Amino acid sequence: GAGVSQSPSNKVTEKGKDVELRCDPISGHTALYWYRQSLGQGLEFLIYFQGNSAPDKSGLPSDRFSAERTGGSVSTLTIQRTQQEDSAVYLCASSLVPMSGGPIDTQYFGPGTRLTVL
Amino acid sequence: QKEVEQNSGPLSVPEGAIASLNCTYSDRGSQSFFWYRQYSGKSPELIMFIYSNGDKEDGRFTAQLNKASQYVSLLIRDSQPSDSATYLCAVKGDSSYKLIFGSGTRLLVRP
């Protein structure tokens, strides 16, 4: 079956513009996660969805960042008024069930969207 | 102190040798531990997970966990040039849903 897909693969934008990043999880996966990876760094957790709700948004760096998920499937991460420090690879992952309370379920990552803010 | 620490490397080993990658974590409540491999410009790919003290083997890979020492490692036997990548250690608490990642160790296997 298909893995996690993300679009666009690359996005170059000007400072101050808004961008939308899309994630399509593995079919049947109820949990969806957004991470950010800056150059040479590990992954930084941004937000987690269980179904369409986001129990934890604490990882979002500022109120310029928002995310939604519709139909328990596709998710969109929106960055408003982009800044140069937003430049990073944005990775989406999905898992079959929330990982709380169970070590067996694992997160599968998409190919990422490389965002460059000029 | 970072929550999950890894030596950034690069760790350079000759082809056929054993590569040993190490990771320490600060949260004693951590329950699950994951090793991801990430090739340059690619997304992380799960190699192994472990949640019980001791060793877990899968092919050429062995994960080792010592919760008392808050230490997890990944051994790669018979290293191949294709194993050259960055290896990310990730940790999850029992009631948590998010992975806390280290910054990764870059492995270079010399032909």
Side-chain angles (χ1 to χ4, degrees), chain B residues 68-88:
Chain B
S69 300
Q70 296 174 246
Y71 176 92
V72 58
S73 65
L74 179 70
L75 301 179
I76 306 175
R77 289 182 298 282
D78 187 24
S79 296
Q80 301 297 308
S82 59
D83 294 327
S84 298
T86 296
Y87 289 79
L88 299 169

Side-chain angles (χ1 to χ4, degrees), chain A residues 20-31:
Chain A
E20 283 190 354
L21 312 179
R22 175 189 167 105
C23 171
D24 202 340
I26 293 172
S27 179
H29 280 196
T30 57

